[in-house]
Amino acid sequence: MFRSKLSLALPLAACVAWSALALAWLTEAAAAGGHASSFRAALLGGSVTIAIAVAAVVWRNQQNARRSIQRQLEVLCHIDPRTLADNASGAVPTLDASDAWREVFEQVHLTLADYAAKAQEAELARATAEMRAQRNAQRAEYLEHILSEMPQPIVAVNEFDDVLISNAHATQLFGFTGDPADYRPLDELVKCEQLVELLRETRRRKSLTGRSCEVELCDAGGCTHWYSATARGFAIGTSESAPHGAVAVLREIDSLKDLQRRNAEFVSSVSHEIKTPLAGIMAYVELLADNEVDDDAAREEYLQVINSQADRLQRLVDNLLNLARIEAGVVEVHKTTLSLNELLEEAMHVVTPAAEQRRITLVSDLSELYLGVFADRDMILQAAINLLSNAVKYTPEGGTVTVRSRLHGHQVQVDVADTGVGLSPEDCQRVFEKFYRVKKDQKMAAGTGLGLALAKHIVEDVHGGTLAVESTLGKGSTFHFMLARSAHTPIAADRDALQPALAQTAE
C-alpha cells in the first residue's frame, strides 16, 4: 500500500514542482514588461497546463491500475480453489495487454492453479485414505465380531509369546482380566503348560502347518473339560524377516471323549458277553469230547447248556448286526399283518428260562381282543424279547415282570412292567442311548447297552411307533410301546360279546 501511494505521489510532485517553477518565471517576465518575456510567459503557461494535464492522466492511470490490482486480489481471495486449475470459464479476470501488471498476475494465476491442482490431488488422496481407513476399521470390527461369535476359544500370541488376540470364549475359559489391548505373557494368563508349550513350539518352528494336542482345562465354574487344541504359525508382515506368531483354536471334545469311553466299555462288555458263553460251551464240549460223561441224562443236560449258550451268542450277534443295519438304512423289512399277542407270548416263552433261574414270576395280562399290527415279525419279536430280557435282568429274585397289551383307538399299546431297581430321571433320559448302562446297576447283570437302543430303533424308526419309559427309583420301571393297529383287524359284530375285553381298554 505504501509503495502504491508513493508511485502516485512522485509524478504529481514533479508536475507541481514544474508548475511552480513555470509560475515563478511567468511572474518575473510580467514584471520586466518586454515582448520576449511575454512570449516566454505564454510558453511557460502552456507548459504548466501540459504538465497539469499529464499529471492528471498519470494519476488516472495509476488509479485504474490500482483498481485493477484490487479487483484481481479480491477475485483471488474469494474464488473457489477448484476453478483455479481451469480458467476456461473466465472465473479469474485478465488484465489488458498494455497493463504492466498483466505478466505478474498471469504468473500468479499459474502458480495458484498449480497449487489448486495439487490441493485437489491431496484432497482426493485424503478422501481415499479416509475411506480405506473406514473400510479397515469396519473389517477389523467384523473380524472381532466374528471371533467373538465363534464357539471355539481362540488365542493368538506374538513373537514375544504375549497374548495378541483372544475371543470372548477364550477370555471366559481362561479368566483373562484387564484391557485386551495390553499384551501380557501367555504363561501368566494360561495355566496349562501343555497348551503354552504347544504355542511356543509352533511359533519357534515358524511352520505354517498345524500341530495339535488334547488338553484338559478347568472352566470358571470349576468344571473340567477336554479340548483338542490345534495351533498354526503365522508371519506378522510380508518380509522374510517378519516376526512370527502362533494361533490356537480349541475345540471341546467332551462328547468325543465320552464316545471313546463308551466304545471302550462296549468293547469290554461285548468281549465279556462273548467270552462267558464261549467259556461255557468250550467247557462242556471238552467234557463231552473226553467221554467223561457216562450218564445220558447228564449228557443231555450238557447239550442243553451248550445250546442255550449258543442261542445267547446268536442273540448278541443279531443285536449288533440289526442295529448296524438299521442305522445304515440297509435293513430288509418284511411287514405283514400279524397278531401282536402271539408275538408277546412267544417272547415270554424265550425269556422264561432266565426268569425261572432268578425265581422271577412272569405275568401275562394280554388283551382278549385280536390286536393286529402291520409289522415285521422278526423285528417286533426282537424288540419284545429285548424289553423282557432287560426287565428280568434288573429285577431282584422273587420279583415280578408283567406283560400287558391294550387297544387304544387306532393304536395298540404294550407295557412291560417290573418290580426291579428302577431308574433315576437322568437315567430315563439316556437309557435308550447306544452303549449306555446305568452305573449303579452294572454289577447286577452283564450287558452291552444295545438291547434298548435296538428296540427303540425297531419301534420308532422302522415301524413309526413310540417307545418310552416311566420309572420310580427303587420301585420298578414300565416300558411301553405303541404301534398303529392294522387296517385289516377284524371287528366283531356283536359288541356285547366283546364287552369284557372292551372294558380292559378303559383301564
Side-chain angles (χ1 to χ4, degrees):
M1 180 64 78
F2 175 76
R3 290 184 178 179
S4 63
K5 290 182 178 180
L6 184 63
S7 63
L8 293 174
L10 289 176
L12 289 176
C15 291
V16 171
W18 176 257
S19 300
L21 182 61
L23 182 60
W25 288 346
L26 181 60
T27 302
E28 182 180 359
H35 291 286
S37 61
S38 298
F39 175 77
R40 218 171 8 182
L43 180 61
L44 288 173
S47 299
V48 169
T49 302
I50 293 173
I52 292 173
V54 170
V57 172
V58 170
W59 179 82
R60 188 181 63 180
N61 290 338
Q62 292 288 347
Q63 289 294 324
N64 291 336
R66 184 182 63 83
R67 285 194 295 268
S68 178
I69 294 171
Q70 185 178 3
R71 187 172 66 253
Q72 288 281 335
L73 293 176
E74 288 178 353
V75 170
L76 292 176
C77 289
H78 295 89
I79 196 170
D80 187 350
R82 290 173 294 183
T83 63
L84 289 173
D86 184 8
N87 196 27
S89 62
V92 181
T94 59
L95 298 177
D96 295 335
S98 60
D99 197 320
W101 293 90
R102 177 184 176 90
E103 184 177 353
V104 175
F105 273 91
E106 285 182 352
Q107 187 63 37
V108 171
H109 293 167
L110 292 176
T111 302
L112 291 178
D114 183 55
Y115 286 159
K118 292 181 179 179
Q120 288 183 354
E121 293 177 0
E123 178 65 21
L124 180 60
R126 185 198 62 80
T128 303
E130 184 177 353
M131 186 179 299
R132 186 179 294 111
Q134 290 178 353
R135 286 200 300 264
N136 290 336
Q138 189 178 35
R139 186 181 296 111
E141 185 177 354
Y142 285 159
L143 290 175
E144 183 178 358
H145 182 70
I146 292 171
L147 284 176
S148 64
E149 293 300 323
M150 290 187 67
Q152 297 88 1
I154 300 175
V155 179
V157 297
N158 59 15
E159 68 273 23
F160 303 110
D161 289 333
D162 295 332
V163 175
L164 184 66
I165 296 174
S166 64
N167 64 350
H169 287 82
T171 301
Q172 182 179 3
L173 175 63
F174 299 113
F176 292 167
T177 57
D179 191 349
D182 296 337
Y183 298 161
R184 297 173 59 186
L186 177 66
D187 53 3
E188 291 183 6
L189 298 175
V190 178
K191 305 303 180 182
C192 177
E193 185 61 30
Q194 193 174 2
L195 179 59
V196 172
E197 191 62 26
L198 175 67
L199 282 167
R200 282 179 178 171
E201 285 299 319
T202 304
R203 180 191 59 79
R204 290 171 185 167
R205 294 175 183 271
K206 298 182 179 181
S207 176
L208 300 182
T209 59
R211 303 176 69 240
S212 61
C213 68
E214 293 182 359
V215 295
E216 190 175 14
L217 299 173
C218 187
D219 60 15
C223 299
T224 301
H225 301 278
W226 278 96
Y227 291 89
S228 174
T230 302
R232 188 180 297 272
F234 62 89
I236 307 176
T238 57
S239 63
E240 296 182 358
S241 60
H244 280 70
V247 59
V249 179
L250 285 76
R251 180 172 57 90
E252 186 175 341
I253 56 171
D254 284 343
S255 58
L256 179 61
K257 283 289 185 180
D258 184 63
L259 180 61
Q260 291 175 349
R261 178 186 55 79
R262 287 195 293 171
N263 284 342
E265 293 177 354
F266 165 71
V267 172
S268 177
S269 298
V270 169
S271 300
H272 177 76
E273 284 290 298
I274 294 177
K275 186 177 180 179
T276 301
L278 278 179
I281 291 174
M282 292 176 63
Y284 284 102
V285 167
E286 185 176 351
L287 290 175
L288 293 175
D290 293 342
N291 295 322
E292 295 183 4
V293 181
D294 297 332
D295 189 2
D296 292 339
R299 185 180 293 105
E300 184 66 24
E301 180 183 356
Y302 290 172
L303 291 175
Q304 290 180 357
V305 171
I306 293 173
N307 186 60
S308 66
Q309 295 301 320
D311 290 341
R312 181 179 175 182
L313 279 175
Q314 183 65 41
R315 286 195 300 272
L316 174 63
V317 173
D318 289 343
N319 281 341
L320 291 172
L321 293 177
N322 289 334
L323 185 60
R325 292 192 187 107
I326 292 174
E327 289 184 339
V330 296
V331 63
E332 294 184 3
V333 182
H334 304 284
K335 292 184 178 181
T336 58
T337 301
L338 48 89
S339 172
L340 184 59
N341 285 340
E342 292 182 1
L343 285 180
L344 295 176
E345 290 176 351
E346 185 175 349
M348 292 180 66
H349 178 71
V350 172
V351 300
T352 295
E356 291 178 349
Q357 184 178 3
R358 298 174 57 86
R359 296 196 296 274
I360 295 174
T361 302
L362 289 178
V363 179
S364 175
D365 185 14
L366 303 180
S367 173
E368 296 182 3
L369 292 174
Y370 173 81
L371 303 180
V373 293
F374 187 67
D376 186 294
R377 182 185 184 283
D378 293 336
M379 287 190 174
I380 293 298
L381 177 61
Q382 184 66 60
I385 291 175
N386 289 357
L387 292 176
L388 284 170
S389 298
N390 185 77
V392 171
K393 282 182 180 180
Y394 298 104
T395 298
E397 292 187 3
T400 303
V401 175
T402 303
V403 181
R404 184 184 300 109
S405 64
R406 293 291 184 271
L407 179 65
H408 284 280
H410 296 284
Q411 289 186 314
V412 176
Q413 177 174 327
V414 176
D415 298 333
V416 178
D418 61 63
T419 59
V421 294
L423 299 170
S424 66
E426 295 78 10
D427 292 329
C428 287
Q429 294 179 355
R430 301 190 57 190
V431 73
F432 293 109
E433 294 180 7
K434 286 189 305 180
F435 316 132
Y436 180 77
R437 300 191 65 206
V438 180
K439 292 183 178 180
K440 67 180 182 64
D441 302 329
Q442 287 184 0
K443 295 182 180 180
M444 192 171 181
T448 60
L450 293 175
L452 295 180
L454 177 60
K456 192 173 183 67
H457 276 295
I458 291 174
V459 173
E460 296 186 354
D461 296 338
V462 179
H463 292 88
T466 58
L467 174 58
V469 60
E470 296 177 358
S471 183
T472 301
L473 194 62
K475 294 185 178 180
S477 305
T478 299
F479 289 83
H480 50 84
F481 67 88
M482 300 187 71
L483 297 174
R485 190 187 67 182
S486 173
H488 302 291
T489 299
I491 302 296
D494 189 359
R495 185 176 180 84
D496 293 336
L498 295 176
Q499 192 63 35
L502 291 174
Q504 297 178 4
T505 64
E507 296 180 359

